[in-house]
Amino acid sequence: MSQPTIESILQEKRLFHPPAEFSQNAHITSRDQYQQLYDKAQADPEAFWAELAAQELHWFDQWDKVLDWQPPFAKWFVGGKTNISYNCLDRHLTTWRKNKAALIWEGEPGDSRTLTYAQLHREVCQFANALKQLGVEKGDKVGIYMPMIPEAAIAMLACARIGAPHTVVFGGFSAEALKDRLVDAEAKVVVTADGGWRKEAIVPLKEQVDKAIANNAAPSVQNVLVVKRTGQEIEMQAGRDHWWHEMQADVSANCPAEPMDSEDMLFILYTSGTTGKPKGVVHTTGGYNLYTHMTLKWAFDLKDTDVYWCTADVGWITGHSYIVYGPLSNGATTVMYEGAPRASNPGCFWDVIEKYGVTIFYTAPTAIRAFMKMGDEHPNARDLSSLRLLGTVGEPINPRAWIWYQQIIGGDRCPIIDTWWQTETGGFMITPLPGAIPTKPGSATLPFPGIQADIVDAEGNPVEGNNGGYLVVRHPWPGMMRTVYGDPDRFRRTYWEHIPPKDGQYIYFAGDGAHRDEDGYFWVMGRVDDVINVSGHRLGTMEIESALVSHPAVAEAAVVGKPDELKGEEVVAFVTLEGNQQATEELNKTLKQHVVNEIGAIARPGEIRFTDALPKTRSGKIMRRLLRNLASGQEVAGDTSTLEDRSVLEKLRGGS
Ligand code: WTA
């Protein structure tokens, strides 16, 4: 498990109750009401979800069976026909929401744009037709490698509309990482932009796509669609590359949503795991739509009058579920922001809140800590009185950051929901319902109705009392991932057999450690596997190690996380070099850059330590626990008797 910082261990014991007025007006108003919902869902999960599916979504055809559970493979609303693009757009057009702002976009540098539901619908239909014109058919995969601009959401919704699963690749990933994902997903088309703005500089996205697919490296890719965003000269390959605006000008705005089977694939999203290759998490249509819709509605207490802003990037699951699909399915106004916090613009988030009168704000602890450091004067100089509810996601939030968020941003009046969930879970799993559940800083509190979360030991036995263990889920839920794309065995092994099933009962293993207090509140402690969490981004240590050893100077590499005040964790790499190589400052820099080229800037090691040898067990396994202790400057704790060569440890301690 990653090392918690001293501060994250210190728990703030106070209970924070929602203001009475907030509770009275909330969708779920009391702990009793929550409990009733929870019990109802527990007693008959299928009836619970079926009732909501019928009430909240549009179906072209009713399902025959609510749940088909062949562990660990689940199908929800079997035989039902629906379309998430229809649920996000068309159904609002026959109501007063037709001219309501669907998407408010605040771009860099100072650009902005608002699309009503009717306008967004039109653009999505046009782009769906543009994709069709390029020969994209139902079942074909589309890669999306975009900055945070409305066209990213439009492209996703257009894919969903015609049944072409999308795979969004975060714009901060390198050409190499993009290539791996396009190849694995067998993408037929890539949607990108000439460039994106990142802290006053241009990220040359189209150039990266060119690199990724050069020399037929991603042979499935036939066409590239390019949004003109940053305007610099770029190369367009005739026949292969097309400008978005030229395609849009040419096509009809009439494109009925394709009735999709509830279990048709909606998207693949790659995420890091314990082995080298990122895995393609597969989500399907009906269950994901219902789950993101309900979790957003109840946990963020969403109302038609809200202006809702989630600061994530659409390249991550948070962007998929809670910038695009969840909010639009609910007919909400969702804000999309292209910028990022930086020293030269220390009030940027608070400006957006003031400018649009944001009422619900959702961000990550790492961003909160960055703003905290920039000083209270920035939020204090803005009018944040429109805010009524705050949320956080991505890593455990340390009590000091929670209290700052509550007081300085929330003005002591906004509940904070700490949402624990994962790419794999599709939506929130453990989160307060803000009108019903008093909060404790650092705890995600209680499971969402329908989620049977628990804490168990390595054999799957329930852990009693406030003892730590593995966080698991006992019953399938509609938003769960269906498989690892192209590798169902990996899905089974990673999530369902890590804790051995007993009597045919499969339980979902999340990869996190947690404990539960006397009120039944969950406290998530962090990953128990070889995944580290840097600024809320998931990185597999093996992925970074593979990147390092792909450099000719490197013989072996071991990567661990080290606690970091701002980022949560930082990447530290221990590296042994090939015989003829010198451990120079220059090489240190080169290797850091090599990781950036192979994966992306988010994976850049904070520190690379050269060493003669890595500590290994007699069976040759790298003893990461020792390295974690060393990286964080702690005494090496625990048993070292299995260490093969003790002198290695002495040398590492000596800092060689
Ligand atoms: C961590 C992001 C504590 C956790 C939605 C999980 C959290 C991983 C929280 C998933 C939270 C996310 N408290 N830890 N509120 N939210 N995590 O797939 O370790 O990018 O397993 O999904 O982030 O990261 P992912």
Side-chain angles (χ1 to χ4, degrees):
M1 190 185 311
S2 56
Q3 302 280 329
T5 55
I6 299 293
E7 203 198 11
S8 70
I9 298 168
L10 286 178
Q11 289 171 10
E12 160 69 65
K13 291 283 183 213
R14 270 179 295 169
L15 253 192
F16 289 78
H17 290 272
E21 203 193 319
F22 187 101
S23 291
Q24 279 155 20
N25 295 316
H27 288 302
I28 316 296
T29 57
S30 65
R31 172 108 195 215
D32 281 354
Q33 199 190 347
Y34 160 80
Q35 200 60 51
Q36 278 166 19
L37 278 172
Y38 192 86
D39 293 345
K40 183 175 160 187
Q42 169 108 349
D44 191 347
E46 294 179 33
F48 175 78
W49 291 116
E51 187 186 331
L52 293 171
Q55 199 177 294
E56 301 283 332
L57 301 185
H58 166 271
W59 296 85
F60 296 106
D61 278 322
Q62 179 75 12
W63 54 88
D64 312 311
K65 194 170 189 291
V66 181
L67 171 65
D68 176 10
W69 178 224
Q70 315 278 343
F73 300 98
K75 291 182 178 157
W76 282 89
F77 310 112
V78 183
K81 296 265 188 287
T82 185
N83 185 301
I84 197 168
S85 165
Y86 186 98
N87 278 316
C88 286
L89 300 167
D90 306 53
R91 64 169 168 160
H92 304 310
L93 302 186
T94 51
T95 72
W96 69 271
R97 293 194 189 106
K98 180 174 179 182
N99 294 319
K100 175 180 177 176
L103 189 70
I104 296 179
W105 174 69
E106 180 70 15
E108 298 252 15
D111 298 344
S112 64
R113 191 177 168 199
T114 297
L115 287 150
T116 63
Y117 273 93
Q119 290 167 328
L120 185 60
H121 173 260
R122 185 184 169 83
E123 296 242 0
V124 168
C125 288
Q126 285 176 321
F127 193 63
N129 280 332
L131 288 172
K132 280 188 188 166
Q133 219 175 66
L134 292 177
V136 176
E137 291 174 5
K138 187 170 169 176
D140 288 339
K141 320 294 184 303
V142 174
I144 298 179
Y145 183 63
M146 292 276 254
M148 281 290 286
I149 55 177
E151 287 81 356
I154 292 166
M156 290 164 76
L157 290 159
C159 287
R161 195 164 189 85
I162 60 173
H166 53 70
T167 183
V168 183
V169 180
F170 172 58
F173 276 123
S174 68
E176 189 64 26
L178 171 64
K179 181 202 73 187
D180 289 345
R181 286 157 176 78
L182 294 175
V183 169
D184 191 77
E186 303 156 295
K188 188 168 180 182
V189 166
V190 182
V191 186
T192 190
D194 50 355
W197 291 107
R198 184 82 195 159
K199 304 191 180 183
E200 284 134 26
I202 290 174
V203 183
L205 292 168
K206 170 63 165 58
E207 213 179 293
Q208 303 274 40
V209 173
D210 290 342
K211 267 193 217 157
I213 65 177
N215 305 321
N216 213 21
S220 57
V221 177
Q222 295 173 5
N223 293 105
V224 180
L225 275 153
V226 189
V227 178
K228 204 181 203 61
R229 169 72 189 121
T230 42
Q232 78 280 18
E233 229 10 82
I234 56 162
E235 262 178 50
M236 294 290 278
Q237 188 177 308
R240 188 195 72 180
D241 302 346
H242 307 271
W243 285 108
W244 170 297
H245 58 271
E246 287 175 5
M247 294 285 300
Q248 285 289 75
D250 256 10
V251 288
S252 133
N254 179 22
C255 178
E258 178 79 24
M260 300 295 292
D261 193 278
S262 175
E263 279 300 327
D264 276 338
M265 194 193 299
L266 175 62
F267 65 83
I268 307 171
L269 185 58
Y270 287 83
T271 191
S272 296
T274 40
T275 55
K277 238 173 67 159
K279 40 189 182 228
V281 169
V282 171
H283 282 288
T284 58
T285 304
Y288 174 85
N289 190 358
L290 178 66
Y291 198 66
T292 50
H293 180 101
M294 285 321 302
T295 45
L296 186 68
K297 181 167 176 174
W298 285 351
F300 271 115
D301 188 43
L302 201 61
K303 308 277 169 52
D304 251 323
T305 43
D306 279 313
V307 177
Y308 162 87
W309 180 23
C310 163
T311 68
D313 191 285
V314 288
W316 310 117
I317 191 70
T318 311
H320 283 59
S321 300
Y322 299 116
I323 295 178
V324 181
Y325 291 120
L328 297 176
S329 180
N330 278 288
T333 296
T334 183
V335 177
M336 189 175 191
Y337 181 50
E338 194 184 16
R342 55 182 185 275
S344 62
N345 197 358
C348 60
F349 276 17
W350 324 128
D351 283 336
V352 175
I353 292 175
E354 182 177 270
K355 178 169 177 188
Y356 297 108
V358 170
T359 58
I360 302 177
F361 179 61
Y362 187 33
T363 195
T366 188
I368 298 170
R369 289 192 296 263
F371 281 112
M372 218 167 125
K373 207 170 158 203
M374 290 179 201
D376 297 359
E377 63 273 25
H378 307 294
N380 286 346
R382 273 80 177 180
D383 179 3
L384 304 182
S385 60
S386 57
L387 288 172
R388 67 179 195 94
L389 179 59
L390 304 173
T392 141
V393 61
E395 58 181 304
I397 181 165
N398 49 315
R400 187 142 55 96
W402 195 100
I403 297 287
W404 184 85
Y405 198 29
Q406 203 264 348
Q407 291 178 344
I408 305 297
I409 307 307
D412 277 329
R413 75 183 175 276
C414 304
I416 297 178
I417 62 163
D418 179 349
T419 59
W420 175 83
W421 60 295
Q422 309 176 294
T423 307
E424 292 87 341
T425 69
F428 310 150
M429 298 295 278
I430 303 182
T431 173
L433 301 185
I437 309 295
T439 52
K440 302 181 190 182
S443 168
T445 76
L446 300 170
F448 195 79
I451 300 306
Q452 301 180 18
D454 203 355
I455 297 176
V456 300
D457 65 18
E459 277 76 52
N461 305 307
V463 169
E464 303 298 338
N466 200 345
N467 295 313
Y470 299 128
L471 184 50
V472 297
V473 186
R474 291 192 179 279
H475 190 274
W477 65 100
M480 67 195 267
M481 76 182 280
R482 297 301 193 260
T483 190
V484 171
Y485 185 62
D487 200 348
D489 253 13
R490 190 171 172 196
F491 172 64
R492 179 193 291 276
R493 278 189 323 254
T494 313
Y495 301 103
W496 302 92
E497 290 182 347
H498 194 93
I499 293 174
K502 269 199 238 156
D503 312 323
Q505 292 288 319
Y506 275 72
I507 50 178
Y508 172 81
F509 168 67
D512 279 312
H515 64 94
R516 199 163 23 184
D517 70 16
E518 58 289 357
D519 295 323
Y521 281 32
F522 285 79
W523 298 78
V524 181
M525 304 305 289
R527 302 290 303 195
V528 291
D529 52 10
D530 293 325
V531 170
I532 52 184
N533 191 329
V534 180
S535 300
H537 299 318
R538 248 169 97 164
L539 296 167
T541 50
M542 284 269 289
E543 242 173 288
I544 307 175
E545 287 163 8
S546 313
L548 283 165
V549 296
S550 76
H551 192 279
V554 175
E556 272 189 310
V559 165
V560 295
K562 163 183 161 181
D564 181 87
E565 211 177 294
L566 272 186
K567 297 188 241 170
E569 280 186 290
E570 178 172 84
V571 175
V572 178
F574 292 85
V575 166
T576 65
L577 296 174
E578 291 292 351
N580 55 349
Q581 295 290 331
Q582 293 300 317
T584 60
E585 200 42 44
E586 191 58 35
L587 182 59
N588 199 307
K589 274 199 202 122
T590 307
L591 292 182
K592 284 181 184 166
Q593 188 53 41
H594 182 66
V595 174
V596 175
N597 298 344
E598 291 290 302
I599 305 175
I602 53 169
R604 182 198 295 273
E607 212 181 304
I608 291 183
R609 294 200 197 176
F610 294 119
T611 171
D612 292 341
L614 294 170
K616 290 189 186 155
T617 62
R618 291 188 187 105
S619 59
K621 255 186 104 182
I622 293 173
M623 296 181 77
R624 287 167 195 285
R625 182 172 49 83
L626 299 190
L627 293 175
R628 273 198 292 268
N629 289 150
L630 286 165
S632 52
Q634 293 168 342
E635 258 314 289
V636 172
D639 185 14
T640 55
S641 59
T642 52
L643 186 62
E644 185 202 30
D645 176 1
R646 300 193 61 83
S647 69
V648 169
L649 185 57
E650 295 312 320
K651 279 194 200 145
L652 280 165
R653 267 205 193 108
S656 62

